Amino acid sequence: MELTRARLLEFLREPEAVFWVFIFPVLLAVALGIAFRTKPVEKLRVAVVRTDPAVERLAALLIGTADLTVSVVASAEATRHCGPAKLTWSWERLARERPAASSVTYR
């Protein structure tokens, strides 16, 4: 207990250490908060490729989400309408990347 008390008093005797540990992080957080406060939250763009009725139900659920901009497109126009630079996530891409249920591999 005495060692902890001694180290705490030693720390408090150094004003520069107190500044860098307690005051600087608060000032930095306030400065960055002021600098980036005008930037609105970016909405994610999602393309749902029409393949079956289940995908249509998924699209209806996603459209109700406030943080997403959902595009329901045909497979042929998906690459033209939603290129990689315009798209955050696509249902078709997830279906391609996800392995089939019978081919699960654990690593």
Side-chain angles (χ1 to χ4, degrees), residues 6-106:
R7 288 191 179 181
L8 180 64
L9 290 174
E10 181 182 341
F11 173 75
L12 292 175
R13 279 189 214 124
E14 299 178 29
E16 62 275 356
V18 173
F19 170 79
W20 287 110
V21 170
F22 294 113
I23 298 171
F24 178 74
V26 173
L27 290 176
L28 184 64
V30 169
L32 290 174
I34 290 171
F36 297 107
R37 69 178 169 189
T38 58
K39 186 177 179 183
V41 177
E42 185 177 323
K43 287 188 169 189
L44 299 175
R45 295 188 55 159
V46 177
V48 179
V49 179
R50 282 188 206 109
T51 55
D52 58 29
V55 173
E56 294 292 335
R57 287 193 304 263
L58 172 71
L61 289 172
L62 290 175
I63 287 172
T65 307
D67 297 334
L68 299 177
T69 303
V70 180
S71 303
V72 180
V73 295
S75 184
E77 73 176 290
T79 54
R80 181 184 57 81
H81 178 67
C82 301
K86 299 178 185 177
L87 185 64
T88 305
W89 181 78
S90 82
W91 178 258
E92 188 179 50
R93 185 184 328 161
L94 177 67
R96 268 197 320 262
E97 292 173 359
R98 178 189 289 173
S102 62
S103 66
V104 175
T105 40
Y106 295 97

